[in-house]
């Protein structure tokens, strides 16, 4: 369920929790909760204190990010607007569409960020220069 539209191509969603006396379970399926075919899952964990990650955009990759343990802050920038969101629960998923610059910071020591991706790893899909990203997005920012 949509919780908050962060940017036109980036939104925070809530996950349905299947709970019973044993505890909780969340299931994420392609074309249901996750709006793209799932080709890859990766985890960012044991992040050292003060580390910032990301600082790139993707030309076509779509992702669904869930902080399954601990917390971190994701900052998204579409070349027009920059918004930050703290991810601190497996009950929320952040959809990041194509053409979004992202930065990750404020990882808690126990943070485990799980990312579901629409394609396999392709270095050619990365834009690692912010200037190049602004050109790509036709930004109004300087
Ligand atoms: C993103 C944010 C949220 C692989 O070999 N396969 C993979 O699937 C990934 C994601 C990375 N790698 C290699 C490439 C680098 O040698 O793992 C190393 C660290 O990757 P990177 O510096 O890109 O990690 P982050 O945390 O800056 O960015 C990652 C994703 O790359 C990126 O797509 O959106 O997490």
């Amino acid at each position: 369920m949509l919780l908050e539209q962060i940017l036109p191509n980036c939104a925070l969603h809530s996950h349905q929790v299947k709970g019973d006396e044993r505890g909780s379970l969340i299931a994420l399926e392609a074309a249901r909760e996750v709006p793209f075919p799932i080709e890859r899952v990766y985890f960012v964990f044991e992040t050292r204190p003060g580390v910032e990650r990301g600082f790139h955009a993707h030309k076509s990759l779509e992702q669904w990010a869930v902080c399954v343990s601990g917390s971190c802050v994701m900052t998204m920038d579409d070349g027009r607007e920059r918004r930050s969101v703290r991810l601190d629960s497996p009950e929320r998923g952040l959809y990041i569409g194509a053409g979004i610059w992202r930065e990750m910071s404020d990882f808690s020591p126990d943070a485990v960020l799980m990312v579901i991706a629409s394609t396999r790893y392709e270095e050619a899909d990365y834009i690692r220069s912010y200037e190049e990203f602004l050109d790509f997005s036709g930004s109004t920012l300087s």
Side-chain angles (χ1 to χ4, degrees):
M1 192 181 77
L2 177 67
L3 277 179
E4 185 182 356
Q5 195 71 42
I6 307 295
L7 293 171
N9 203 14
C10 185
L12 192 62
H13 297 261
S14 63
H15 296 149
Q16 191 186 355
V17 181
K18 320 269 185 185
D20 58 29
E21 66 285 353
R22 297 170 298 172
S24 303
L25 183 154
I26 291 169
L28 301 176
E29 293 188 20
R32 287 199 175 172
E33 293 79 12
V34 178
F36 50 76
I38 296 170
E39 285 290 328
R40 177 168 52 115
V41 177
Y42 61 91
F43 298 85
V44 177
F45 61 106
E46 295 179 352
T47 306
R48 304 247 196 284
V51 160
E52 296 181 315
R53 303 187 63 120
F55 296 89
H56 57 252
H58 286 281
K59 294 172 191 166
S60 62
L61 183 72
E62 296 175 80
Q63 301 196 106
W64 190 276
V66 184
C67 205
V68 295
S69 167
S71 64
C72 68
V73 171
M74 301 274 307
T75 298
M76 279 74 55
D77 177 338
D78 64 2
R80 290 163 187 79
E81 203 182 338
R82 177 172 278 248
R83 296 277 313 275
S84 292
V85 175
R86 178 173 293 278
L87 297 180
D88 58 5
S89 167
E91 297 183 22
R92 282 186 287 285
L94 178 68
Y95 170 74
I96 309 172
I100 303 281
W101 182 267
R102 80 284 321 267
E103 299 171 9
M104 295 120 80
S105 61
D106 291 316
F107 287 87
S108 64
D110 57 344
V112 179
L113 179 68
M114 177 187 76
V115 183
I116 298 171
S118 64
T119 70
R120 298 179 71 171
Y121 178 71
E122 291 170 38
E123 183 57 37
D125 189 64
Y126 283 71
I127 302 172
R128 295 193 181 273
S129 146
Y130 190 70
E131 290 305 312
E132 195 185 318
F133 163 69
L134 292 181
D135 283 348
F136 178 84
S137 64
S139 170
T140 52
L141 298 177
S142 54

